[in-house]
Amino acid sequence: MINELVQKIKSYNKDADTDIFIKAYELAKNAHEGQKRESGEDYIVHPLEVAEILIELQLDMPTITASILHDVIEDTNYSYEDICNMFTPEIAELVDGVTKIGKIEFSSKEERQAESLRKMIIAMAKDIRVILIKLADRLHNMRTLKYMPVNKQKEKAQETLDIYAPIAHRLGISRIKWELEDLALRYLAEETYYDLVHKVSSKRKEREEYIEQVIDSLKQRLQKAEIESDIYGRPKHFYSIYRKMYQQNKTFDQIYDLIAVRVIVNSVRDCYAVLGVAHTMWKPLPGRFKDYIAMPKPNMYQSLHTTVIGPNGDPFEIQIRTWDMHRTAEFGIAAHWKYKESVATSKEDSFEDKLVWLRQILEWQRELQDSSEFMETLKLDLFSDEVFVFTPKGDVMQFPKGATPLDFAYRVHSDIGNKCIGAKVNGKIVPLNYELNNGEIIHVLTSNNSSGPSRDWLKLVKSSHAKNKIRQYFKKEKREDNIIKGKDALEKELRRQGLQNTTIIKQHYLEYAAQKTNYNSVDDLCAAIGFGGIKANHIIQKIKNKFKDELNLEQPAEPTVIEQKQTKPQKVYNDLDKAVKVCGFDNMAVRFSKCCNPVPGDNIVGYITRGRGVSIHRADCVNIRHTDDIGRLIDVEWVKHTNANFKAQINIKARDVKGLLTKVTNTLSEEDINIDTLYCKGDTQGYAYVDISVEVKTVKELSKLIKRLSKIPEILSIYRI
């Protein structure tokens, strides 16, 4: 295998120093001597397979050498210094960047995962090759996942789908991304995966004959136009089919782009020429043309996409790109790594520009000390689809799907964001929670008299960049207020947990917590709690874990006067019309809109109706987002102590099998959920569609129900309407 890998390296890099690669292999083989993988193979097979994946990406010798050694520091007696002395500091840094954190105590599994990712991101910022090794490592582990216990299979598959596949996508490495997603789907939804495999293969011959007919016709026309091209069919990956079926609520037969035609040409000019030829041969489908050449994706992807109606009346997709664009689409950032070593400064700057996303992650990850918040923000940033909008001058800006005018304002400049009071979209005034759509022209309205951002803005913005700028404002501009708020938050959390304020908030306890969460002082820690950078319960838990024995000794034997004090019982409301209060008004009549069915826990907004009081909508309700009468919107909030029942609607798509409704209704019964209405229908494809209206008290209760229902094997998708 070593000889084969050396030959592959020489095939794309004749001057490569393969001796250092062989030296690394010999060290790793001896270091891992006696270690076995779950499959029973010698451990050294794994580093070799990881190296082969990177060789296929045509990476440089330090990266490939480090990949052979990537588990040596973690799993053997060799240290970072040993690797430095035996090889180079560059290789040692790469190996250390991939090494997991194994000797630090964490309070939760999520915290361990978050801290490992933090280290990896910091290492990535220094050298992007770290994540390329990590992705190759994860890919081979997924290829051999069948040897792991079932619970580990699902755990690793979910982590791959949540973190590693999106990172591969962000870095533009589609070759690795697709395989990671397909392998993850195989272990997370095995029955669905093999059902797709069967359906795709059953009509493959028919589809391939159709695409061959299309390719032959297009080749002849391009030859007449004297355009050199390479044309072939590209099959759609299983996870991509699954995701489209799930998100768009479609059956397999409704997915028409199972195979696309890819055309590769020599120049950008030829790309648009091919597009013109294709549109004269077949009618384009309206709204299905995307120009990623003029507006590349953040992961550097460039191509023209168009969907046309084929010769048999069946639509199919055509992708048109140059050879350089194709290499970038397949290898992503790896295709550009050679620029770091061999080209001029302008190319170097171009390469660094492609890592803007990574720099942004590095910036905001320093602001988020709380592990769960870090993981949540990272996943949000990784998973976001893109929206392209224009500035008034015609410049293009990209944002995550669901972005608002506030995201746009903060991208222009942090001062513009802080002074933002509204926005115009295509000349019309919109609210700050308006979701931007492709092609819109955004104009930000500002005022020097603005009081600055609101904490509620953190819930409105979608980009990590905007969240970071808002947090920085509260961190720097409101430091003294934040320190007070932070101390208040600690005291409230202590009371909630039934602990004594004077006992647990001692200076040396807080100093320990500040040190453990990387803050320079107790004031910095309290300020971070105040502006939302870290949660009070997280700090108290760290103190309780460290000083458990000491705190037990200090706990009083008898209840204190504070604990004995009787508090006035809160009034519990059972009426729907008393579950919400209108800010600034007493006894205002309210009613709940049936278009979105808000439930306690939803973000809500009020709409002043003519003669019928205030109508309560979810903040993301389409009727609110598209209203032209913004002056009628009013702030409302949930009453905390309500015991009323609220209606919510759930849509289920499942395989139409005997006993499905019994399982659904039994689950509702076990969760003590009352059914208001239930409607079920089947189709000719073997699917059943179930619409249920249920009565719940909170969004949390509804989410728990949906999670329980999603575990029924026959259910393919479930979502709240």
Side-chain angles (χ1 to χ4, degrees):
M1 189 173 181
I2 276 289
N3 291 334
E4 290 177 4
L5 294 182
V6 168
Q7 290 303 315
K8 287 183 179 180
I9 294 170
K10 291 287 188 182
S11 70
Y12 70 86
N13 186 359
K14 293 179 181 178
D15 300 325
D17 178 15
T18 53
D19 290 341
I20 195 171
F21 173 67
I22 295 172
K23 178 183 176 183
Y25 161 71
E26 295 293 345
L27 184 146
K29 183 181 178 182
N30 293 331
H32 292 298
E33 187 72 37
Q35 294 180 2
K36 299 282 186 181
R37 289 184 48 92
E38 293 290 336
S39 62
E41 291 179 320
D42 289 338
Y43 195 90
I44 189 62
V45 172
H46 170 64
L48 286 173
E49 294 283 359
V50 172
E52 184 170 27
I53 292 168
L54 295 173
I55 290 169
E56 288 172 356
L57 294 177
Q58 300 187 359
L59 284 166
D60 58 350
M61 284 311 303
T63 310
I64 298 167
T65 305
S67 71
I68 289 284
L69 303 169
H70 77 272
D71 278 332
V72 166
I73 294 178
E74 182 180 358
D75 295 338
T76 74
N77 294 326
Y78 285 92
S79 66
Y80 169 84
E81 289 73 20
D82 294 332
I83 304 300
C84 258
N85 294 330
M86 298 176 70
F87 296 91
T88 64
E90 179 185 13
I91 291 172
E93 285 289 340
L94 289 171
V95 175
D96 187 54
V98 183
T99 302
K100 299 187 190 79
I101 296 177
K103 298 180 180 178
I104 302 177
E105 294 182 6
F106 297 102
S107 61
S108 69
K109 177 183 169 184
E110 187 176 53
E111 187 177 352
R112 175 180 292 278
Q113 186 187 48
E115 291 301 329
S116 296
L117 281 164
R118 279 179 194 272
K119 182 178 181 184
M120 198 163 62
I121 285 166
I122 292 169
M124 282 165 61
K126 294 178 183 176
D127 199 325
I128 194 65
R129 293 172 294 179
V130 168
I131 193 59
L132 300 181
I133 298 171
K134 188 66 182 174
L135 287 172
D137 173 53
R138 177 51 63 109
L139 178 55
H140 183 249
N141 283 335
M142 289 298 293
R143 287 173 177 175
T144 57
L145 199 58
K146 63 182 178 181
Y147 299 105
M148 299 291 285
V150 174
N151 64 321
K152 282 287 184 183
Q153 289 176 355
K154 292 192 178 296
E155 180 185 314
K156 293 294 182 185
Q158 192 63 57
E159 185 181 61
T160 297
L161 208 55
D162 286 348
I163 301 295
Y164 292 98
I167 285 179
H169 172 67
R170 277 289 187 170
L171 297 179
I173 314 172
S174 62
R175 176 175 292 198
I176 288 180
K177 177 214 174 192
W178 292 121
E179 190 174 353
L180 287 176
E181 288 180 336
D182 283 356
L183 288 168
L185 179 63
R186 175 183 170 185
Y187 292 101
L188 290 174
E190 185 176 359
E191 196 172 331
T192 302
Y193 173 81
Y194 284 109
D195 182 48
L196 280 177
V197 171
H198 172 71
K199 286 178 177 175
V200 169
S201 61
S202 64
K203 293 186 178 180
R204 176 173 292 166
K205 186 177 179 181
E206 180 185 329
R207 281 194 302 271
E208 288 178 351
E209 288 175 354
Y210 177 63
I211 289 297
E212 282 300 321
Q213 177 188 349
V214 167
I215 290 174
D216 288 341
S217 301
L218 186 57
K219 272 184 178 177
Q220 292 175 17
R221 290 292 293 269
L222 293 183
Q223 285 172 358
K224 288 181 180 178
E226 297 182 351
I227 300 173
E228 292 184 15
S229 63
D230 189 5
I231 311 175
Y232 59 92
R234 180 197 64 83
K236 204 171 187 70
H237 295 269
F238 297 120
Y239 181 77
S240 180
I241 299 170
Y242 166 79
R243 191 177 179 189
K244 183 168 284 190
M245 289 170 64
Y246 178 81
Q247 289 184 339
Q248 299 180 15
N249 198 23
K250 290 183 175 180
T251 64
F252 178 79
D253 292 333
Q254 292 173 312
I255 307 295
Y256 55 79
D257 55 347
L258 291 174
I259 295 183
V261 173
R262 182 171 288 160
V263 185
I264 306 178
V265 294
N266 296 325
S267 68
V268 173
R269 180 179 179 179
D270 286 346
C271 288
Y272 290 98
V274 172
L275 179 70
V277 170
H279 282 184
T280 58
M281 294 178 67
W282 304 291
K283 288 185 178 180
L285 211 60
R288 295 287 298 173
F289 169 65
K290 295 176 182 176
D291 188 343
Y292 294 121
I293 293 179
M295 293 185 290
K297 289 186 177 184
N299 64 359
M300 305 170 292
Y301 179 86
Q302 285 184 289
S303 189
L304 296 178
H305 289 197
T306 184
T307 302
V308 297
I309 306 297
N312 296 339
D314 296 324
F316 67 92
E317 186 181 58
I318 303 176
Q319 299 176 356
I320 310 165
R321 61 180 68 154
T322 66
W323 285 104
D324 282 342
M325 293 173 192
H326 180 63
R327 278 188 288 271
T328 300
E330 291 293 304
F331 302 123
I333 205 78
H336 294 258
W337 183 252
K338 58 186 178 181
Y339 291 158
K340 292 284 286 182
E341 301 296 336
S342 59
V343 287
T345 306
S346 60
K347 289 286 187 181
E348 172 81 13
D349 294 341
S350 173
F351 177 86
E352 293 299 325
D353 288 344
K354 298 179 190 305
L355 301 182
V356 169
W357 165 75
L358 180 58
R359 304 293 181 222
Q360 287 176 349
I361 288 183
L362 185 68
E363 181 182 344
W364 59 253
Q365 70 89 22
R366 294 193 187 104
E367 303 293 330
L368 300 176
Q369 301 295 330
D370 182 71
S371 303
S372 59
E373 190 176 1
F374 171 72
M375 289 298 291
E376 181 184 343
T377 311
L378 177 63
K379 290 177 183 178
L380 176 69
D381 202 67
L382 288 174
F383 272 121
S384 297
D385 292 327
E386 292 83 34
V387 173
F388 298 89
V389 297
F390 294 93
T391 68
K393 293 183 178 180
D395 296 326
V396 179
M397 286 191 176
Q398 299 163 333
F399 295 94
K401 192 173 182 180
T404 65
L406 286 171
D407 291 284
F408 182 92
Y410 277 101
R411 181 69 62 82
V412 175
H413 197 280
S414 56
D415 285 344
I416 300 295
N418 292 337
K419 295 177 182 178
C420 178
I421 58 171
K424 288 183 179 180
V425 173
N426 295 338
K428 290 176 63 176
I429 294 178
V430 297
L432 292 178
N433 64 352
Y434 174 84
E435 289 188 10
L436 304 180
N437 297 300
N438 280 320
E440 292 179 332
I441 301 172
I442 317 300
H443 180 81
V444 180
L445 305 176
T446 61
S447 170
N448 290 327
N449 297 323
S450 169
S451 58
S454 159
R455 291 183 185 273
D456 291 336
W457 286 10
L458 288 169
K459 299 176 184 177
L460 296 180
V461 296
K462 296 297 180 183
S463 62
S464 55
H465 174 80
K467 287 180 185 290
N468 183 51
K469 293 301 180 185
I470 295 169
R471 287 192 184 100
Q472 282 183 357
Y473 173 85
F474 287 110
K475 182 179 180 181
K476 295 175 182 177
E477 303 294 329
K478 306 282 185 178
R479 177 176 168 79
E480 295 303 320
D481 290 344
N482 286 331
I483 292 173
I484 295 170
K485 287 179 182 177
K487 290 178 179 178
D488 288 344
L490 280 171
E491 291 173 5
K492 287 178 182 176
E493 183 61 26
L494 287 169
R495 287 198 296 270
R496 191 185 70 81
Q497 295 189 22
L499 298 168
Q500 281 185 286
N501 179 15
T502 55
T503 301
I504 202 168
I505 301 191
K506 288 189 173 180
Q507 188 67 17
H508 72 284
Y509 290 168
L510 292 176
E511 287 172 355
Y512 166 80
Q515 180 186 356
K516 277 301 189 182
T517 48
N518 300 319
Y519 289 103
N520 295 325
S521 67
V522 172
D523 279 352
D524 287 346
L525 173 64
C526 291
I529 297 171
F531 76 78
I534 194 168
K535 295 176 182 175
N537 66 337
H538 182 71
I539 296 302
I540 292 171
Q541 191 59 47
K542 279 191 177 294
I543 293 173
K544 287 165 68 177
N545 290 343
K546 176 66 176 177
F547 302 101
K548 185 177 180 180
D549 296 336
E550 190 176 332
L551 288 169
N552 283 339
L553 289 173
E554 293 180 6
Q555 290 297 327
E558 297 295 330
T560 63
V561 175
I562 294 174
E563 290 173 325
Q564 293 173 342
K565 184 178 179 180
Q566 297 295 316
T567 57
K568 184 178 179 180
Q570 295 284 351
K571 184 175 181 180
V572 178
Y573 292 106
N574 291 299
D575 299 329
L576 283 177
D577 59 352
K578 295 180 181 177
V580 166
K581 67 177 182 180
V582 181
C583 300
F585 297 91
D586 293 326
N587 301 321
M588 177 77 80
V590 300
R591 64 184 184 89
F592 289 85
S593 65
K594 294 181 180 179
C595 55
C596 57
N597 290 320
V599 172
D602 286 329
N603 290 327
I604 53 175
V605 65
Y607 182 84
I608 303 172
T609 65
R610 289 180 171 87
R612 300 175 66 190
V614 176
S615 176
I616 308 300
H617 294 258
R618 277 161 49 184
D620 59 355
C621 176
V622 66
N623 291 327
I624 291 299
R625 292 207 312 265
H626 295 157
T627 182
D628 295 327
D629 209 347
I630 300 170
R632 290 180 175 272
L633 298 181
I634 190 170
D635 290 334
V636 294
E637 61 183 36
W638 295 104
V639 173
K640 292 183 179 179
H641 304 281
T642 178
N643 200 35
N645 287 319
F646 297 80
K647 289 181 182 179
Q649 288 183 286
I650 298 171
N651 177 270
I652 295 173
K653 178 185 176 183
R655 285 185 291 276
D656 194 356
V657 297
K658 186 177 180 180
L660 172 65
L661 280 182
T662 302
K663 291 183 180 181
V664 170
T665 53
N666 283 346
T667 302
L668 290 165
S669 177
E670 289 168 8
E671 291 294 321
D672 197 24
I673 299 292
N674 186 47
I675 301 174
D676 184 58
T677 60
L678 186 149
Y679 173 73
C680 180
K681 67 176 180 178
D683 63 13
T684 58
Q685 307 298 322
Y687 294 106
Y689 299 89
V690 186
D691 290 328
I692 314 173
S693 177
V694 296
E695 293 182 351
V696 294
K697 289 183 170 57
T698 64
V699 164
K700 189 175 181 180
E701 188 176 19
L702 180 61
S703 299
K704 183 183 176 184
L705 172 63
I706 291 175
K707 189 173 182 180
R708 277 289 310 275
L709 288 170
S710 66
K711 292 180 180 178
I712 297 175
E714 290 79 12
I715 290 181
L716 301 174
S717 68
I718 178 170
Y719 59 90
R720 179 184 178 188
I721 300 175

